[in-house]
Amino acid sequence: MASALDRQDGLPQPGRSGIAGMPAGARSLVRSQRLIVSHILAAAIPVLLFGGWMAYLTADQERTEARRAAQATVARVAERVSESLSKELEVAEALAGTTALDGTDLETFYEEAQRLTAARPLWETVSLIRPDGTQVLNILRPLGEPLGPTPDQESFDEIVQGAQSAIGGIGPVGPLSGKRLVSLRVPVNRNGELRYVLTIGLVPSQISAILRDAGAPASWVGVIVDARGNVIARTLAENTEIGQPASISVRDAIRRGSEGFYGGRTLEGTEVETVYRKMPGIGGWSVHFGIPTEALNTPVLRSLAALVAGGVTSLALGGGLALLIARDVAQRRREEEARSMLALSVSEERGAVAVEAADLGTLRWDPERQEVMGSERLRMLLDLPPSVVEGPEAVWSVGRVLAALHPEDRVRMQDAVTRCLEANSPIDIEVRAIRSDGRSHWVRFNGRRPMDSSGAPRVVHGVVSDIEPQKRAEAERLRLLRSLAEAQENEQRRIARELHDQVGQTVTGLSLGLKSLERALESGTVTSPTREQLRWLQGLANEIGRDIHRAASDLRPSAIDDLGLHKALAAYVAEWGKVSQIDVDLQTIGHVRRLPAPIETATYRVVQEALTNVLKHAEARSVSIVLEYRARQLRVLVEDDGRGFDPDMLANDGAGTLTETDEKRMHLGITGMRERLALLGGTLTLESSPGSGTTVFIQVPAPPPGPSI
């Protein structure tokens, strides 16, 4: 890096020739002399040359303004036509949704269609067509009269297949209307089925009026065509050209699909420069305005001829002036290029030092050549072989780089590169590199797609970093958390066993002793109050035994170990319903099977916590629990009909329907549930709103099913 930085004060360098090698004072004097000579030559150029040049600029500006005016006119026409047709489409969709079409009696609809047609200048007729193409109603004929099939079957079939409202192109001469109309079609769906296709026949002459009112000069030729290139509206020869194919140049432009300017001839044979714009959402329609080429170019050609005449007169002086200016500009450019090259060299060296300090591997992914160029650090991270291509960067094939990754990560890496190139989506992906000894090593790819001047994708530039230490630390953290959870369950199991084996036996002995005492007292003279007291003590001892048994079950329900998750939950839910006086229903879907102990325990605890939240906060009347066994997943749904809450308040500490203490307790409970599931790769999702109850969705990965139980 020092070599480039040390050169910053060395411009110009020894060995250069010409003005760049002169001292600063000499260079300033030479430039001043050239400037004076340039001024003298410029003053000597005839006024004729200047006038011709200004005339040319003015004519060219007029030509540019005419093109801009054409673009503005096309945009205005496209906007007005699109707006007008969109309004007609909205009215047609509203008509298709009327209740008059719910039954078979179409008289009310017929009258409504006549009323709308009379009120809308664009509408010529309204018809209803069955999906098989048969017309059942047309306001041009009395209701109930046979009408035959629709005349524009091709446009009709497209609507039936797409089942969406659309505006078609110019149709054939209708047998009922005797005119060429534009079909606006809306599907009439009832009970999820297509009953009719509502078709509005639009009058092209009204669209031509919009085209004529655009304010374009009379010499311009405007035309609106459909997706097939047939004329819908035209400023000239409208009566004869409506429904006919447009000029060859118009149809070629539609096939190419690119908007903007193109050259061609009108149907009358006039050579024009045409501006073209599509109308999105209007069935592939487009609007074209042709400007006569002669009107555009004649002023420019005349001014250019005047400019050439003046230029011939002052060619020698102008050439001398251009030579002096060119030499001065070239010299300045060489000096600027030298400074730029030096600055670029310094920047590259600094970037290299930064990448090296960050311990990153650099790469350039070229999809066209199927090559990946990278640094030595990249080769080391991916354990790639030495490159066979000599140069500052090593080169490998894309296939060789993908082969260095774990088979499960290759498709993900290829997809990430494809998305980056096609959608300009930055790459941030973690993959495993396979060492030559077979061990895997975690690395992270970060990259993006640079854009050239045309915006086309070229390559993907990126860096590769070593994240193996972070992955190991994360794996160790998860292992410790699992160990902690397992230790906690073991401790709860031990406490439950001690409560059962020791405290329970003691209470049982107390109960038996009291019973014996009762018999002994009964053999003597014992008063009735004494017996009542003994019975009360016996009942108290039994209650203590039941409480201890219930506590032991809460710490570690033996039903999980003995019977499995499903039956353990069934027992707990039944007991919980009796205590809480809340209706609770447990349903099971799928193949019931035993799952690993951590999964069953975690699921049991999460459902237990969910029911605790219902009892404390929900004020619910009923709870529904669904336990769904899938091939590789266990799903649980807990849904109550309580008062609900705003889930955002738990994250934002906002005021809700719960008290501050309830919010804190619920937040801790939900966090604990999520952390317990996260240890197994599971998730917990909450859906709730005030007054609408709460639903808890639990998903836990599970091994595939075994034998039925």
Side-chain angles (χ1 to χ4, degrees), residues 518-585:
E518 181 186 13
R519 287 195 297 269
L521 291 174
E522 287 179 349
S523 63
T525 304
V526 181
T527 62
S528 178
T530 303
R531 292 191 182 93
E532 290 298 328
Q533 185 178 11
L534 288 174
R535 291 189 184 95
W536 178 79
L537 289 173
Q538 187 178 8
L540 180 61
N542 291 334
E543 185 176 351
I544 293 173
R546 288 193 299 271
D547 291 340
I548 292 175
H549 176 73
R550 187 182 299 108
S553 297
D554 290 340
L555 287 171
R556 177 65 188 182
S558 59
I560 294 181
D561 297 326
D562 299 337
L563 305 176
L565 174 63
H566 172 242
K567 294 184 178 179
L569 275 180
Y572 176 77
V573 164
E575 182 65 21
W576 183 88
K578 293 179 181 179
V579 175
S580 65
Q581 297 298 312
I582 297 176
D583 294 334
V584 58
D585 175 57

Side-chain angles (χ1 to χ4, degrees), residues 47-58:
V47 177
L48 179 61
L49 178 61
F50 178 75
W53 176 249
M54 292 302 298
Y56 172 77
L57 292 179
T58 301

Side-chain angles (χ1 to χ4, degrees), residues 502-658:
Q502 297 180 13
V503 181
Q505 292 178 5
T506 302
V507 174
T508 301
L510 174 61
S511 179
L512 293 175
L514 291 174
K515 184 68 175 178
S516 177
L517 178 60
E518 181 186 13
R519 287 195 297 269
L521 291 174
E522 287 179 349
S523 63
T525 304
V526 181
T527 62
S528 178
T530 303
R531 292 191 182 93
E532 290 298 328
Q533 185 178 11
L534 288 174
R535 291 189 184 95
W536 178 79
L537 289 173
Q538 187 178 8
L540 180 61
N542 291 334
E543 185 176 351
I544 293 173
R546 288 193 299 271
D547 291 340
I548 292 175
H549 176 73
R550 187 182 299 108
S553 297
D554 290 340
L555 287 171
R556 177 65 188 182
S558 59
I560 294 181
D561 297 326
D562 299 337
L563 305 176
L565 174 63
H566 172 242
K567 294 184 178 179
L569 275 180
Y572 176 77
V573 164
E575 182 65 21
W576 183 88
K578 293 179 181 179
V579 175
S580 65
Q581 297 298 312
I582 297 176
D583 294 334
V584 58
D585 175 57
L586 174 64
Q587 299 182 13
T588 304
I589 301 174
H591 176 68
V592 178
R593 62 187 188 277
R594 290 302 301 267
L595 300 175
I599 295 178
E600 292 191 337
T601 301
T603 304
Y604 183 92
R605 295 301 186 193
V606 171
V607 173
Q608 195 176 40
E609 180 65 24
L611 291 177
T612 300
N613 287 338
V614 171
L615 183 60
K616 291 181 179 180
H617 312 296
E619 299 180 1
R621 296 186 302 273
S622 64
V623 180
S624 176
I625 303 174
V626 178
L627 190 65
E628 181 180 4
Y629 289 83
R630 293 196 167 194
R632 295 185 178 274
Q633 191 181 67
L634 175 66
R635 290 189 176 186
V636 183
L637 182 145
V638 182
E639 184 177 19
D640 67 74
D641 61 352
R643 59 176 175 169
F645 65 99
D646 183 5
D648 293 337
M649 71 183 181
L650 297 180
N652 302 329
D653 296 329
T657 59
L658 303 177

Side-chain angles (χ1 to χ4, degrees), residues 134 140 231 254 333 463 560 647:
T134 303
L140 296 179
V231 176
I254 295 175
R333 182 178 298 173
V463 295
I560 294 181

Side-chain angles (χ1 to χ4, degrees), residues 260-510:
F261 282 89
Y262 64 90
R265 291 181 178 274
T266 65
L267 294 173
E268 292 79 11
T270 304
E271 186 174 351
V272 292
E273 184 173 346
T274 305
V275 61
Y276 160 43
R277 180 166 179 172
K278 299 177 182 177
M279 288 186 282
I282 310 297
W285 289 20
S286 57
V287 57
H288 308 249
F289 259 101
I291 310 172
T293 305
E294 182 179 359
L296 281 175
N297 295 336
T298 298
V300 177
L301 294 176
R302 290 175 180 174
S303 60
L304 186 60
L307 179 61
V308 171
V312 171
T313 305
S314 57
L315 181 61
L317 295 177
L321 177 61
L323 178 61
L324 287 176
I325 294 176
R327 290 183 59 184
D328 189 57
V329 170
Q331 185 61 44
R332 291 178 182 271
R333 182 178 298 173
R334 285 194 293 269
E335 294 178 3
E336 291 297 330
E337 288 177 351
R339 292 189 179 91
S340 299
M341 291 298 296
L342 178 59
L344 179 60
S345 177
V346 172
S347 176
E348 289 178 347
E349 291 190 15
R350 288 175 177 170
V353 170
V355 170
E356 184 176 355
D359 198 23
L360 300 174
T362 60
L363 63 86
R364 186 172 62 186
W365 194 298
D366 190 338
E368 294 184 358
R369 298 184 179 181
Q370 286 293 297
E371 291 180 348
V372 177
M373 301 180 64
S375 63
E376 177 63 19
R377 179 57 180 165
L378 174 69
R379 189 190 70 79
M380 295 174 61
L381 288 174
L382 301 185
D383 199 11
L384 295 168
S387 173
V388 297
V389 179
E390 296 183 359
E393 289 187 315
V395 180
W396 301 275
S397 67
V398 170
R400 185 65 188 84
V401 173
L402 292 175
L405 305 181
H406 193 280
E408 296 179 359
D409 298 334
R410 293 169 187 169
V411 175
R412 292 174 51 239
M413 184 64 196
Q414 187 68 44
D415 291 344
V417 172
T418 301
R419 287 194 302 271
C420 180
L421 292 172
E422 295 179 354
N424 198 18
S425 175
I427 298 177
D428 186 358
I429 184 174
E430 296 178 356
V431 296
R432 291 161 290 180
I434 302 300
R435 302 285 189 180
S436 56
D437 56 4
R439 294 184 294 112
S440 62
H441 189 85
W442 282 97
V443 296
R444 168 175 283 173
F445 279 83
N446 294 95
R448 56 169 299 186
R449 181 194 73 182
M451 305 294 290
D452 62 13
S453 58
S454 63
R458 296 179 296 176
V459 295
V460 173
H461 288 267
V463 295
V464 181
S465 56
D466 182 7
I467 60 171
E468 181 67 20
Q470 297 93 308
K471 283 292 184 179
R472 289 180 179 175
E474 180 66 19
E476 181 64 18
R477 172 181 169 274
L478 291 176
R479 188 189 67 79
L480 291 175
L481 289 175
R482 291 191 184 98
S483 300
L484 179 61
E486 185 177 356
Q488 182 182 5
E489 289 297 331
N490 291 336
E491 181 64 15
Q492 291 178 351
R493 188 182 292 109
R494 183 189 65 79
I495 295 174
R497 185 169 55 251
E498 289 183 358
L499 285 174
H500 182 271
D501 296 343
Q502 297 180 13
V503 181
Q505 292 178 5
T506 302
V507 174
T508 301
L510 174 61

